[in-house]
Amino acid sequence: MPFAFPDIEGRRMTLAVEAAPQGMAENIDLNTKKPSLLGLTRAGLAEALRAIDTPEREIRMRVAQLWHWIYFQGAQNFDVMLNVSKVMRQKLAENYSLTRPQVVEEQVSVDGTRKWLIRMAPVDALDKGAEVECVYIPESDRGTLCVSSQVGCTLNCTFCHTGTQKLVRNLTTQEIVAQLVVAREMLGDFPGLTPPDNGLIPSGEGARAVSNIVFMGMGEPLYNFENVRDAVEILSDGDGLSLSKRRITVSTSGVVPEIERLGLESGAALAISLHAVRDELRNKLVPLNKKYPIQELMQACRDYPGASNARRITFEYVMLKGVNDSPAEARELVRLLKGVPAKINLIPFNPWPGAPYECSDWETIEKFSDIVFNAGYASPVRTPRGRDILAACGQLKSETEKLRARARLAAELE
Ligand code: SAH
Ligand code: SF4
């Protein structure tokens, strides 16, 4: 679910969908001026090793060592890398860091949902560091992490708080990957760490604290294609973070030209934010529909490489009272999805201050859901989670900002 836009006060931001500059300069620890190696691809690590004159014949082995320590062990410094020679460890520490984004706020719901406000490393001395929210949803058999792909979003979906914001920058591959690393640290889920005692984290044999990732936080992942694709590679690498690609879902509002590419180059699962069955209404709810109307979107889904009954495309449908929630629309939805290996997720609308919509009544959602269920789509309603800590998405961010503003005011009045 998307979140409120971070405070942009005094912040240097790039406009629109232009990719943020790639490379290590993005993640420099401004205190030490050392670039962080966390979140780099194998190629990125090799480059970093070459830059400190590592002999070519050692590169492969060194990359494998670093990979294991950074992504499997969750190492936070080079000292712990005991199978790396002392000289090499020193050289790494002299030139690089393993700096991660900072958790500046945590909220824990009674149902175990956790919401973190994560501050990315500043890109320069003027930058305070972009903040994004990351949500962890534990269930008995899985733990899902909802990550962001951009700071803000350029698409103006009318029901989405992120969509009301104008300034946007892409997150780097490093910043996307770091969200999982930071989440696992907060959950005590790396060797040597202890899980929090109030944690309702999946346990038992083979259970993993985070087993699933959904790109359903801030931003349009397909407008940040390369970084998202590379992040998926790192997240799913069997020698490191080791998530199954089938359990990584990229959600798009319908960037048709990039959908095929996602299937060909990534193999992550696909989710489509449909929300309406007619172009007229979808044009209003998801304005990108004017560019890529429903028929084109559905064709891209039918052509999606790798979709099958075992690998279904998820269709998200946010329930907006009196807008898109009639039985006729439920039937039309079923008709529209014929011939597409599909799953349906009905999402109760998450209200935010000033939102022009309300969530459909429970009865209406049930009726809609029954029609969809009777057509063979199981368990379609996504239960609202963590309502006590985020009545509206983005609340942690806005609450934190409110408290900060109040503290500033109090300090000024003193
Ligand atoms: N930009 C991508 C991914 C982020 S949004 C996309 O649109 O798919 C993730 C999901 O949350 C989308 O399905 C989006 O439509 C939905 N969403 C946005 N605002 C919401 C709200 N206030 N309540 C419920 N779902 C919302
Ligand atoms: Fe929100 Fe739409 Fe952007 Fe998704 S694409 S984050 S729903 S504005």
Side-chain angles (χ1 to χ4, degrees):
M1 221 130 300
F3 315 115
F5 189 67
D7 150 45
I8 53 163
E9 198 188 309
R11 194 77 52 86
R12 204 203 72 182
M13 292 254 173
T14 40
L15 249 184
V17 293
E18 239 171 86
Q22 285 276 331
M24 290 179 297
E26 266 302 300
N27 249 15
I28 288 185
D29 179 332
L30 284 185
N31 295 323
T32 60
K33 306 260 190 291
K34 291 174 190 169
S36 178
L37 298 185
L38 176 69
L40 289 184
T41 57
R42 285 176 196 274
L45 288 176
E47 207 181 296
L49 287 164
R50 281 189 193 105
I52 54 168
D53 301 326
T54 311
E56 204 50 43
R57 66 189 139 75
E58 281 183 26
I59 297 277
R60 244 181 103 94
M61 181 258 300
R62 294 289 181 211
V63 167
Q65 286 176 328
L66 281 173
W67 194 267
H68 175 81
W69 283 108
I70 296 173
Y71 297 121
F72 186 84
Q73 302 282 355
Q76 300 187 18
N77 60 62
F78 298 106
D79 300 341
V80 298
M81 303 184 174
L82 291 178
N83 60 348
V84 178
S85 71
K86 207 167 170 197
V87 176
M88 187 65 189
R89 274 185 271 149
Q90 261 167 4
K91 209 166 168 189
L92 284 167
E94 273 161 24
N95 293 280
Y96 299 116
S97 72
L98 289 170
T99 300
R100 38 262 278 137
Q102 232 186 321
V103 173
V104 288
E105 185 78 42
E106 175 183 51
Q107 286 192 357
V108 186
S109 159
V110 285
D111 69 16
T113 302
R114 279 160 195 266
K115 191 162 178 168
W116 298 295
L117 186 61
I118 297 181
R119 185 180 297 153
M120 299 301 171
V123 291
D124 58 35
L126 287 179
D127 182 25
K128 281 188 271 168
E131 285 170 355
V132 294
E133 288 183 3
C134 194
V135 177
Y136 174 65
I137 305 157
E139 290 165 271
S140 56
D141 61 339
R142 68 180 67 187
T144 305
L145 190 70
C146 178
V147 299
S148 296
S149 57
Q150 298 184 307
V151 182
C153 185
T154 50
L155 299 169
N156 306 311
C157 303
T158 45
F159 53 88
C160 172
H161 198 200
T162 308
T164 63
Q165 314 299 327
K166 286 194 181 63
L167 291 169
V168 179
R169 83 162 169 86
N170 281 340
L171 291 180
T172 62
T173 303
Q174 287 190 272
E175 290 169 329
I176 297 170
V177 171
Q179 293 174 63
L180 174 62
V181 173
V182 166
R184 285 188 50 188
E185 272 164 13
M186 293 301 287
L187 297 170
D189 189 40
F190 275 119
L193 301 182
T194 324
D197 22 309
N198 59 349
L200 286 160
I201 296 165
S203 54
E205 211 179 318
R208 306 177 60 157
V210 181
S211 55
N212 295 50
I213 298 242
V214 290
F215 282 82
M216 293 184 190
M218 276 175 155
E220 171 48 58
L222 295 191
Y223 274 174
N224 187 12
F225 186 89
E226 278 89 7
N227 292 348
V228 167
R229 177 201 57 201
D230 291 353
V232 169
E233 284 312 305
I234 299 174
L235 298 170
S236 61
D237 188 290
D239 295 328
L241 292 162
S242 204
L243 278 157
S244 158
K245 269 194 188 169
R246 288 172 182 228
R247 290 171 174 263
I248 302 179
T249 302
V250 172
S251 171
T252 179
S253 55
V255 186
V256 167
E258 302 288 350
I259 289 179
E260 183 187 23
R261 203 172 158 206
L262 182 76
L264 292 175
E265 294 182 32
S266 164
L270 174 66
I272 303 283
S273 296
L274 193 61
H275 308 319
V277 290
R278 283 171 292 112
D279 281 325
E280 200 196 351
L281 178 60
R282 197 164 188 270
N283 285 346
K284 283 190 201 135
L285 300 179
V286 184
L288 186 67
N289 193 70
K290 290 183 216 150
K291 208 165 177 190
Y292 309 117
I294 295 178
Q295 279 315 322
E296 280 183 34
L297 180 57
M298 293 313 299
Q299 193 54 46
C301 291
R302 279 189 283 272
D303 296 342
Y304 187 63
S308 65
N309 281 340
R311 305 206 60 198
R312 290 167 190 267
I313 299 172
T314 302
F315 288 84
E316 294 155 280
Y317 197 97
V318 64
M319 299 299 294
L320 304 170
K321 190 179 197 159
V323 175
N324 65 353
D325 59 356
S326 69
E329 281 159 313
R331 286 189 289 272
E332 181 59 19
L333 176 61
V334 169
R335 202 194 59 76
L336 202 62
L337 296 185
K338 266 210 182 96
V340 182
K343 280 191 278 195
I344 298 173
N345 256 339
L346 300 183
I347 314 172
F349 171 62
N350 222 330
W352 38 274
Y357 302 104
E358 284 174 72
C359 182
S360 309
D361 306 322
W362 199 245
E363 223 175 72
T364 313
I365 299 183
E366 271 185 346
K367 250 191 223 152
F368 198 103
S369 144
D370 281 349
I371 296 172
V372 160
F373 179 80
N374 289 336
Y377 298 99
S379 148
V381 186
R382 194 196 285 162
T383 337
R385 295 290 304 262
R387 275 279 156 109
D388 54 335
I389 56 163
L390 47 126
C393 277
Q395 254 197 359
L396 174 58
K397 172 72 203 167
S398 13
E399 281 306 309
T400 309
E401 289 313 321
K402 247 187 264 162
L403 288 175
R404 280 179 196 156
R406 231 174 271 159
R408 270 199 302 269
L409 193 66
E412 276 166 23
L413 290 176
E414 254 175 29

